[in-house]
Every structure is written in structure tokens, then in C-alpha cells.
Amino acid sequence: MIASCLCYLLLPAARLFRALSDAFFPCRKNALLAKSSSSQVEGDFAMAPRGPDQEECEGLLQQWQEEGSSQVLSTVSEDPLVDKGLAQSSLALLMDNPGEQDATSEDKWSSRQLSDLRAVENLEEPCPEVLGDEALPEVEGPMWAAVPMQSGPQYADCAVLSMGALAAEQWEEDPAVVAWSIAPEPMPQEEAPIWPFEGLGQLQPPPMEIPYHEILWREWEDFSTQPDAQGLEAGDGPQFQFTLMSYNILAQDLMQQSSELYLHCHPDILNWNYRFANLMQEFQHWDPDILCLQEVQEDHYWEQLEPSLRMMGFTCFYKRRTGCKTDGCAVCYKPTRFRLLCASPVEYFRPGLELLNRDNVGLVLLLQPLVPEGLGQVSVAPLCVANTHVLYNPRRGDVKLAQMAILLAEVDKVARLSDGSHCPIILCGDLNSVPDSPLYNFIRDGELQYHGMPAWKVSGQEDFSHQLYQRKLQAPLWPSSLGITDCCQYVTSCHPKRSERQKYSRDFLLRFHFCNIACQRPVGLVLMEGVTDAKPERPAGWAESVLEEDTSEPEPVFPRTVGTIQHCLHLTSAYTHFLPQHGLPEVTTMPLGLGTTVDYIFFSADSCENGNGTDHRLYQDGTLKLLGRLSLLSEEILWAANGLPNPFCSSDHLCLLASFGMEVTAP
């Protein structure tokens, strides 16, 4: 019955107290009773020793329930905003000192409350003054209610939502639309009261009108000058500018298979419809020219993601993982900025090879940038974009290296130009390796000595040095039958056919103008007088026989280095993996609450040596130039947002976004 009258929270403060004054004839008695929840009040009276004081307290409680609540219900029923589901929350406005619930004993609590009731009966002040020194003014802003959440250690105690949002059921149906409505200036929020009820908390979510990237303090780091109206940078020369996003969007199937990793999240924010709306709003807000996605569930891609991205102006390519896996990788680009030259899906699974028995995949696209027509006859080199999601298992670094070697070989083939050089390359994705790990250094430095290295050490995700048995990498890492050299190139690319290698001079070819076989009569040739009965004469100086060379193609043989693999793509990371302003490492994901970096954007840039070492921010002309990037966050900041996923970021990874410039040359 107490819960029925608690709906008064939905009324403005002044109107609430006027109604309470009319409803409760012993208003001063009931105000003190309202300091404790219904279960606490009844429980305290029931557990106290019976006696004169106890009987009087029970009488007061019964009188308040029978007379006061009936009048309250009749008064409240006229207001359309009453919600019985939020009734218990209304006691918060009647609290004077929540700390009074913590009594040293039940007997003291009963006697003290009885004395307070007797004292209040003799007071003549109006009911609002019982709650404080001054009457509460009438509030015109939005009303708030404490909403009980599901109980359990993995959930937050409560969330405080706007009453308008609750009435429209926007939190359940499409909260992302509200979350992305950008206001010019966020309105200051009043400090939320401390709720004394069990199962409720005091955390108020961020205002819905502030975008998530402002709540999570992600900033754009600009390294370029101001671009002109055509999107080309004004400087030493025009540049073709574009943005690229890499994002592991967390496949719904994988999330449900590993539900223990997401116990800190409320089930509502893990719903795919909620997550899909947030992801699309994120794509629309940053509006990249190239979008590389990992963990894209196949049915979600064809039914929702691809149609939505196509409406946003993207052309999409998708590669599902092999075997029975339901997710894969996707690369999307805007046809208004690029023209597709070729698309190459990459499968890492190789039947019969234990090293390559996993179902991870990659996707490599060769894109031709489209420059504005007003620039005249100018050209931009093609751009090679590679996207992948390598194996997660921290113990199998040998598999990770082999998968990366296959991807680099495909990139080398697609990006190789006619003169043997490579066009600009961007390699991104979830590599499941931490910065400065052997795999990371191999991609950045182009060389790795792996022989004898523990397999778990390749990615640096976890430390298994305490274990007695440790798998170690042996040379060669993969067999020659894979068709990839230790320089991460296909054998056919390194060793072209013999006919393409040998140069024939004119004198050498003239030696075969006549040959012995031409002077022999074929068997079964019909004799025709004057035609087939003549024997050709041997030209003067023609040797009796010409040594015929062996033209059979030998098996391709390429040298194998002992325990070393290399590549010649000259890649560097768009991120420094360190937050200098905070003195903390950058974080792209938080598995089990531990922040780490496993997502990367590598791009072609020749590093220059200086006195302080290698500076990966210096570039040579004709390569990709990093113009800006979206800052990452530290583990502490993500903990303040309840980790990943959260109501604003609907994946367990943060997106990576970078802006690049390519040199525009005249023909």
C-alpha cells in the first residue's frame, strides 16, 4: 500500500506537498515515517520488542495506511503522469536525513521514531517545513525517477532516466537516436540525490543530447594545414585527401558465445537492434571515405549493414570466414572518391597444413582515387587497402605469423607496379597483438628473427613464461609448398617464367631460320610432283646441326633464410600507442576489464633517420602522408564509462579513424 502512494514524485515539488497536506491529516507523523522504505518501516516495527511503545507505533502505521493512503490515491488518480511502477522512488523527496536508517539497535529506532512522532504532533508549521528549513520551490524542468535495474553483481544499481524518455519508451526502442541529437550547449545537470533504497543507485547517465565522442573525450588530432574548398591541401603541392576507419564491430554470435565477457553490461545495450542503431550513427557522424570492418556477422551484413551503407553512398565487399564461421571482414568505399581496380579475398586456411588450419580471412582492394574535374589532367597513384582479423589464440603466435605472411604476399602482388615498386598501402584490422610485440615490430620494421622464440611471445597478449611446456617456433616456419618465400612474396612474383627472363638476340634467332627437321620428309606425305618431291638445299654456312637447349621448366627453387622472415612494404602505424597528455598507454579494447591495443592502421611511409633515432612521423615525397587521426582513450577513462561496450559505444573495440593525403602529379 505504501508503494501505491509513492507516485507523487512525478508531480512538481510544490504541487506534491500541497497534495500531501490535503491527503494526510497527521502529515507531520507520516513525513517521519516516510524516512524509511515500506519494508524497512514494517520490518523495524515487527522486530522491536512488544510493549506500549510498540503498540502505539503499529497503530500509527495502520492509521496512516488506512486513512492517508486512501486520500492520496483519490488525489493522485487525477494526474495522468502517475506511474505505479515508479512508486517507491517518491520517498526520496520526503527524506530529511537518510543516515537515520542506520540505527544502532532496533529498540532505539522504535523509541526514537515514537518520540519524533509525538513531537511533530505539537508543531503548527506547514508540512513542507518538516522536510527542511525552507519550502522547496516549484521546478519546471524535466522530472526524474529512480528506475530499479536487474539485481546481480554484474549490473549497476540503477539508472536515472528522463521521464519524457520513459514515457516515449525511447530507451528501449531507439535510444541511439536520442543519444546522437547534438545540442549547441549541454545543459548543466543538477546533482542527483542519494537514494537510500536497496537495489537503487545514484548514477545519472550523461545527457542524451551530447554525442558519445564528446562524453568519452575523443578528440581529432590535426597534423595538416587547412584544406581548400576542393578538399585538396594548400602547401608544396596539391594532395588527394581521404579518411579511413577501421572498426571491430563485435559480431552478435561471438558475443553470445562469450557472454561471460559482458556481465558488466545491461542486457538492453547488448541487443543487436540497439547496437546496430549506434553503429550506423557512428558511421554517419564520422563519414569516412573508406570503411574497414571486422567481426561482421553474415546475416546482419546482407540484411541490414550492406543496404544501410549502400544508402549512405558506400560500395561494399565482404568475405566470410571459412568453415562454419558466421562472421567475416568487409571493406566499403565511396565510389564518388575511388574507382575499384581489383578486389582479392584472402583465406588463411590451407588443407593439410597444421600451421594454417584456422578460418581467419582478409580482404585486399586496389582503388584508384578520383580527383576533381577542375584540376585538369592530373593523376594519383592507386591505393591498396588491406583489412584482416587474425587469430586470437595468444598461445599460437606461429599461426599469427603465417597468416600475416599470406596477407603481406597478397598485398605485395596487388600493390606491385610495373617498375617493381609498390603503390601506397594501408593495412588495418584487428591483429590480436600488442604494440612492440614481435608481430608488431615485424610489420613496422620489415624483419623478424623468430627461430627459438616461444609462440606465446609473438603477440604479447599474455605471459605464459611460467609454464613448463612452451611451443617454440622452428625454422622454416612454413613449408615451401605454401608457395610463399621468407620475404613474404609469392614464388611466381619472385621467379618469373624462364621465357620471360631469357633475352634473345637477333643473331641467335637467325640461326633457327632453317633447321634440320625442315629438310626431312614427313612420314605419310602425299607425293606431288613439283611440290613435295623436291628437297630443300642447305644454305651456305649453315651448320650441320644446332645444339638444342633444354627448354624444360625446372622446379622453382628459392633460398630460405634460417629463422628470419622479411617484407619490403615499408609500413608504419598511424597511432603512437601512448597518450602524452595523460602519460598513459592508448587502449582500443578492454577484454575482462583490462585495457590493451590490438587494432591498428598501418600505412606506407618511409621513415627517416635522425640523431634521436627513427622518427616515424617524417615522410618522403610521393608516399602517404598522415594528416590527422581520432584520438584513442586510456583504460581509466573507459572504466569511467563502464568499460566496453557501453550505452554510447556498442562494440568491445574503439574505432580507429585517420586522414591521409596522396600526392597529385601532372602527366
Side-chain angles (χ1 to χ4, degrees), residues 10 19 49 154 245 249 320 407 440 442 464 467 514 531 596 611:
L10 307 179
Q154 67 271 27
M245 174 184 286
I249 63 174
R320 182 180 64 85
L407 180 67
Y440 174 89
F442 167 61
F464 296 99
Q467 295 185 352
F514 294 97
V531 178
T596 185

Side-chain angles (χ1 to χ4, degrees), residues 404-414 484 488-490 493:
M404 185 54 57
I406 295 176
L407 180 67
L408 293 175
E410 187 68 26
V411 171
D412 174 83
K413 184 186 73 172
V414 173
I484 296 178
C488 297
Q489 295 176 329
Y490 288 121
S493 300

Side-chain angles (χ1 to χ4, degrees), residues 609-658:
E609 299 290 339
N610 55 24
N612 298 327
T614 301
D615 185 357
H616 295 280
R617 288 291 314 283
L618 300 179
Y619 313 102
Q620 295 182 357
D621 294 338
T623 60
L624 283 173
K625 182 177 181 181
L626 180 63
L627 304 179
R629 65 190 177 204
L630 182 64
S631 66
L632 291 173
L633 303 175
S634 65
E635 180 179 334
E636 286 75 8
I637 294 178
L638 287 176
W639 264 119
N642 197 31
L644 294 173
N646 55 53
F648 310 102
C649 181
S650 289
S651 174
D652 56 351
H653 291 248
L654 293 176
C655 69
L656 276 63
L657 182 69

Side-chain angles (χ1 to χ4, degrees), residues 477-550:
L477 186 59
W478 56 80
S480 300
S481 60
L482 186 60
I484 296 178
T485 68
D486 289 332
C487 293
C488 297
Q489 295 176 329
Y490 288 121
V491 175
T492 54
S493 300
C494 301
H495 302 274
K497 294 182 179 180
R498 190 167 178 236
S499 60
E500 299 175 357
R501 298 198 314 268
Q502 190 171 2
K503 302 297 182 181
Y504 297 103
S505 63
R506 181 175 182 275
D507 295 336
F508 178 80
L509 295 176
L510 285 177
R511 294 174 58 187
F512 294 91
H513 185 67
F514 294 97
C515 56
N516 292 331
I517 193 65
C519 300
Q520 297 178 5
R521 183 183 180 87
V523 179
L525 180 64
V526 178
L527 179 60
M528 298 177 62
E529 186 176 355
V531 178
T532 61
D533 58 350
K535 184 177 181 180
E537 297 180 356
R538 187 182 302 273
W542 189 21
E544 289 293 332
S545 62
V546 178
L547 297 178
E548 297 182 1
E549 298 183 2
D550 184 14

